[in-house]
């Protein structure tokens, strides 16, 4: 029904007018939302899977809303925000940094208190937008977090890990590095078995068997679990939540 109404509005008023109206409404609605915990996810790859795993995980703790698919421009942020109601406990959204200044549009609207960064790659780089500039743009998410918030950073990516220096928030690192706070060991994904691993955090060790195929999903799994820990879940609760999430079936774009 919501999509049908949106389609009719766009037929009458045009895409630009409808998007502008949604953004305006969302800017008025956001300051009134006190209960939901706002979580932003960015990176050159793995954002959508991290977000979907996190949404599935958090649904075991409270009702959650997220942006649809992998569309993360400001009008999609506004549309997702307008679906929030007092019953919701979490809002998880992707934040794109595909071009310089893009974060400056999204961050004031979303105002996340937890920020997750996956990896920084050359996917959207150019001579005018090199990898270091991409890292600077995506790092705005971490720099914007309040001192009471949490940054969740991939310790296996030097450009991501360096973002910790720009944050006043608590930092949770994840990855395969022995220096990471949250690590994965005993990783296995041999068809037809699904991706499984041992989660390690301090003296805690928790076994996890996901529904995903392939070890390339390990960073997304760990990033989502880091977000769950930042949201107050235990490592065991995070593992149980991730294990319940099926593979992503929607069409995605980065």
């Amino acid at each position: 029904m919501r999509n049908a109404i949106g389609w009719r509005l766009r037929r009458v008023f045009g895409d630009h007018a409808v998007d502008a109206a949604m953004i305006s409404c969302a800017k008025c609605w956001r300051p009134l939302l006190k209960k939901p915990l706002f979580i932003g996810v960015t990176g050159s790859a793995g954002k959508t899977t991290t977000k979907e795993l996190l949404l599935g995980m958090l649904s075991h703790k409270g009702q959650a809303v997220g942006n649809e698919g992998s569309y993360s421009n400001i009008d999609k942020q506004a549309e997702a925000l307008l679906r929030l109601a007092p019953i919701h406990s979490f809002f998880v959204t992707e934040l794109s940094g595909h071009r310089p200044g893009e974060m400056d549009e999204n961050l004031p609207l979303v105002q996340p208190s937890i920020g997750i960064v996956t990896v920084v790659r050359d996917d959207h780089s150019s001579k005018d937008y090199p990898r270091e500039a991409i890292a600077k743009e995506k790092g705005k998410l971490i720099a914007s977090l309040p001192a009471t918030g949490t940054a969740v950073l991939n310790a296996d990516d030097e450009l991501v890990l360096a973002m910790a220096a720009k944050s006043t928030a608590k930092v949770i690192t994840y990855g395969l590095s022995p220096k990471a706070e949250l690590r994965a060991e005993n990783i296995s994904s041999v068809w037809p078995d699904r991706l499984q691993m041992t989660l390690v955090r301090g003296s805690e060790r928790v076994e996890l068997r996901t529904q995903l195929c392939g070890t390339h999903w390990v960073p997304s799994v760990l990033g989502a679990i880091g977000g769950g820990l930042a949201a107050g879940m235990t490592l065991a609760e995070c593992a149980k939540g991730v294990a319940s999430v099926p593979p992503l079936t929607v069409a995605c774009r980065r």
Side-chain angles (χ1 to χ4, degrees):
M1 178 63 71
R2 176 172 55 85
N3 290 336
I5 293 174
W7 178 79
R8 291 189 178 94
L9 287 172
R10 292 178 188 280
R11 282 287 301 272
V12 175
F13 299 105
D15 290 348
H16 181 73
V18 172
D19 289 343
M22 283 198 306
I23 293 169
S24 179
C25 289
K27 287 179 177 178
C28 294
W29 184 229
R30 173 62 181 92
L32 303 176
L33 297 167
K34 305 300 182 183
K35 178 184 176 181
L37 182 61
F38 287 82
I39 304 173
V41 183
T42 194
S44 300
K47 294 189 299 295
T48 302
T49 300
T50 300
K51 178 203 67 180
E52 294 297 329
L53 289 172
L54 187 51
L55 281 170
M57 199 182 351
L58 292 172
S59 68
H60 293 262
K61 191 176 179 67
Q63 295 193 48
V65 169
N67 67 296
E68 294 184 355
S70 61
Y71 297 95
S72 53
N73 50 333
I74 190 168
D75 56 300
K76 296 302 180 183
Q77 304 290 350
E79 184 179 355
L81 273 166
L82 291 174
R83 288 190 280 120
L84 278 171
I87 60 170
H88 294 116
S89 299
F90 305 101
F91 180 77
V92 186
T93 187
E94 297 173 53
L95 293 166
S96 177
H98 296 169
R99 56 179 173 79
E102 192 167 11
M103 282 287 182
D104 299 329
E105 299 174 355
N106 291 319
L107 287 173
L109 177 62
V110 179
Q111 301 173 42
S113 58
I114 296 175
I116 303 171
V117 185
T118 58
V119 294
V120 174
R121 294 290 184 264
D122 293 323
D123 302 53
H124 303 96
S125 65
S126 66
K127 65 181 181 64
D128 298 319
Y129 195 38
R131 184 181 292 192
E132 290 72 20
I134 294 173
K136 182 178 179 180
E137 184 67 24
K138 295 181 183 300
K140 290 178 181 179
L141 166 61
I142 303 306
S144 75
L145 298 174
T148 54
T150 305
V152 182
L153 303 176
N154 184 351
D156 297 330
D157 188 310
E158 292 183 2
L159 288 174
V160 174
L161 188 59
M163 295 176 189
K166 300 179 180 180
S167 178
T168 59
K170 175 185 176 182
V171 175
I172 295 176
T173 58
Y174 68 88
L176 304 183
S177 168
K179 296 181 179 180
E181 178 181 345
L182 171 65
R183 304 190 311 279
E185 297 180 354
N186 305 320
I187 300 167
S188 175
S189 182
V190 180
W191 181 263
D193 288 337
R194 298 304 189 255
L195 174 62
Q196 49 195 310
M197 67 194 77
T198 303
L199 300 173
V200 181
R201 189 190 190 204
S203 60
E204 288 185 277
R205 299 180 68 88
V206 176
E207 299 301 319
L208 168 62
R209 187 177 190 276
T210 75
Q211 297 185 44
L212 306 175
C213 295
T215 58
H216 59 287
W217 294 121
V218 172
S220 291
V221 170
L222 292 178
I225 290 174
L229 294 172
M233 298 180 72
T234 67
L235 191 60
E237 289 172 338
C238 289
K240 182 179 179 180
V242 167
S244 71
V245 182
L248 191 63
T249 56
V250 298
C252 298
R253 71 178 184 186
R254 290 177 179 174

